C-alpha cells in the first residue's frame, strides 16, 4: 500500500539518528520520497507499507517519534494515472 504522511515535528532540530533511520527506511523501500515544507519543521513523505499497522510501526520507530504530530492518508490508484511510477 502507499501512504502520504505529513509529519510535523515540535522538536527544534533533527538529529543524526533521525537521518540515519531515514536512510535505512529509504534503502528498504519504505520511504519512497520526502518533501520539506518551507518555513516549517515538517515534511510530506510517500511511504510504502503492507498495511496501516506496519506503517505505524515504521513511523513510531523514528527517534523523534515523541515530538511528532502525524497525519496519514492511504492512497489508491486513480483511473487517469498517466502511467506506472518508477
Amino acid at each position: 500500500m502507499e501512504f502520504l504522511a505529513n509529519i510535523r515535528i515540535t522538536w527544534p532540530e533533527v538529529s543524526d539518528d533521525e537521518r540515519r533511520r531515514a536512510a535505512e527506511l529509504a534503502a528498504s523501500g519504505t520511504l519512497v520520497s520526502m518533501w520539506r515544507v518551507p518555513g516549517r519543521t515538517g515534511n510530506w513523505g510517500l511511504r510504502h507499507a503492507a498495511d496501516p499497522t506496519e506503517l505505524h510501526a515504521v513511523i513510531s520507530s523514528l527517534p523523534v517519534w515523541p515530538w511528532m504530530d502525524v497525519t496519514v492518508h492511504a492512497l489508491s490508484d486513480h483511473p487517469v494515472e498517466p502511467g506506472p511510477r518508477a
Side-chain angles (χ1 to χ4, degrees):
M1 293 182 69
E2 289 185 319
F3 299 90
L4 185 61
N6 178 227
I7 298 175
R8 291 170 303 283
I9 302 170
T10 57
W11 191 47
E13 188 176 320
V14 174
S15 70
D16 288 338
D17 289 342
E18 189 70 16
R19 287 183 181 89
R20 192 171 12 266
R21 182 65 179 134
E24 292 169 0
L25 294 172
S28 74
T30 301
L31 177 58
V32 179
S33 294
M34 184 174 274
W35 300 270
R36 175 182 297 272
V37 177
R40 298 179 183 240
T41 57
N43 63 70
W44 284 89
L46 179 61
R47 298 172 178 270
H48 284 174
D51 54 41
T53 300
E54 180 183 66
L55 181 66
H56 177 77
V58 168
I59 291 175
S60 64
S61 76
L62 296 169
V64 295
W65 168 250
W67 299 277
M68 292 169 46
D69 179 26
V70 181
T71 304
V72 175
H73 304 277
L75 302 175
S76 62
D77 292 334
H78 194 283
V80 297
E81 171 67 30
R85 288 186 297 275

